[in-house]
Amino acid sequence: MLTLSFYNLKRMARRRILILGLFALPLLVALSRLIMPESKVLLIIAWVCPFLCAALVAAAFFVQYSMDKALGLHDGVLNAPVKEGCPTWSSIISGAAIFAIQMIIFSVILGVLK
Amino acid sequence: MTTTLPKLYTLLEMSLLRVENLSMRTGGTWALWDINIEISEGEITAIFGRSGSGKSALARVMGGIDEPTSGSAVWNGRETIGRASVALDRPALAPDLTAYENLDMFAALWRVPRRKRTREISFLLELFKLSDYSAAKARQLSTGMLRRLEIARALVADAPLTLFDSLLDNLEPDILEKLWDHLLTLRRTENKSFVIFTSRGKIAEMCSRIAVIHRGRISFVGRPDDFRRLAGEDMVVLGDITNPSVKSRIKDQLSVVVQEEDGFLSFRVSNGERMVGDLLAEYGSDLSCVYLKRPSLEDALEVVATGGIPVMANVSEEKA
């Protein structure tokens, strides 16, 4: 499962624009809070940001998962000695890893604010 | 009870994969119907059938990818998943990974040790003439290259049984020859088994045993030559014999029905090659042309398909 998660991350990392977008969101929101700490709109966006990040990551991996299933990659994976839920769980693990990085970026910058 | 147990144990030891009374329904029709076949260790078997006969469906079930509607495919009494590696007709490759990474990922999933993995991937890329494309992403490869990479993906798994679903049909002859040598080496050194699903008679006849599948049913299991005989015997035509005494001597010599037309003699024999050799040795100077038509496996399949000869009864009776 970890092998598949590693390769999921590798494949996601190759989609430069998508990965930049995923990391830019928490970065921009946290930096905006840093620049304008009094803004109430930005405060609300900062609260919503983790949920938005999670939704975007989930969407990105869901698209990849669906494509793999449609193109037949999952057939090859299911033929290997792995558990039935392996493709699903490896996508979840990969998504969680990217979300964790997003949250590290977000919380480190917000930590500077405090 | 004490007498049946050792018998059962022996039976399971002999066969690597047993498909028993397997049927599968897809899209409202029966893609497979009451399939019974055993794959033994160190055996190269061809599953020979036309397009749409159920080859891919059987390959997927034997590889544990799809579940049958009824019956079973068991691996020494266990499930087949993770034991039989399948090279699928539609390549199971990640388009955004390189050729090397695809093989590495699947080798890792099949728990091939890292050192062996690296060595094996390099060997397979070389074998399939993909060494120059090892860093190319799968989506950049041509259809032919993808098919070769898919075969390599199945082989890198290092499984005791590998199934090739129609992928050998369009392989370049030189690569097919190299692959065949490799399969024979693996069979000899590691006692590995291979099942080749094909619609090409020339590939099927390379295997020691064939199972013919037609409309989702296994209609024959045996040696390719035995199946070929369903289409009749070899036909030999001897042409333009000017010397009438030679003509009559040949007719007398042959213990088969000889037909004569426009100076040509034609007859059917079971071993045409040997007969032609003997005739050429004796009457070579008097014969202007010799034609040998050996029925192909496709001809035999045509006979089965048109119902010219009833299918062999190695399958159990149709289910109620």
Side-chain angles (χ1 to χ4, degrees), chain B residues 9 30 41 44 64 87 110 137 141 143 206 262 279 316 319:
Chain B
Y9 178 74
W30 289 95
E41 269 187 307
I44 302 182
W110 280 86
K137 286 178 186 159
L141 301 178
T143 312
M206 289 158 76
D262 300 332
L279 288 168
S316 52
K319 287 179 182 174

Side-chain angles (χ1 to χ4, degrees), chain B residues 93-114:
Chain B
L93 301 161
D96 35 18
L97 289 180
T98 65
Y100 187 94
E101 286 167 343
N102 265 296
L103 296 184
D104 188 58
M105 178 174 79
F106 278 98
L109 288 175
W110 280 86
R111 293 164 195 153
V112 178
R114 187 171 287 276

Side-chain angles (χ1 to χ4, degrees), chain A residues 42-60:
Chain A
L42 281 175
L43 180 67
I44 293 165
I45 291 173
W47 273 107
V48 173
C49 183
F51 299 103
L52 204 59
C53 285
L56 280 175
V57 170

Side-chain angles (χ1 to χ4, degrees), chain B residues 148-170:
Chain B
R148 280 183 265 154
L149 188 60
E150 176 65 9
I151 300 173
R153 185 192 68 73
L155 285 170
V156 84
D158 202 24
L161 171 64
T162 309
L163 317 170
F164 303 99
D165 181 13
S166 305
L167 286 166
L168 271 57
D169 289 9
N170 297 314

Side-chain angles (χ1 to χ4, degrees), chain B residues 129-149:
Chain B
K129 291 186 180 173
L130 290 168
S131 296
D132 295 341
Y133 301 92
S134 66
K137 286 178 186 159
R139 67 160 175 258
Q140 296 168 325
L141 301 178
S142 68
T143 312
M145 287 173 179
L146 282 176
R147 291 172 80 87
R148 280 183 265 154
L149 188 60

Side-chain angles (χ1 to χ4, degrees), chain A residues 7 11 14-15 70 75 79 81, chain B residues 63 84 86 90 96 101 104:
Chain A
Y7 276 104
R11 293 170 64 197
R14 288 195 178 153
R15 295 188 185 116
D75 291 338
N79 176 230
Chain B
V86 191
R90 188 177 59 166
D96 35 18
E101 286 167 343
D104 188 58

Side-chain angles (χ1 to χ4, degrees), chain B residues 236-257:
Chain B
V236 180
V237 179
L238 308 173
D240 233 7
I241 307 166
T242 48
N243 190 341
S245 65
V246 171
K247 205 181 281 183
S248 58
R249 270 169 60 202
I250 291 174
K251 274 184 175 178
D252 294 342
Q253 192 180 334
L254 297 169
S255 54
V256 291
V257 178

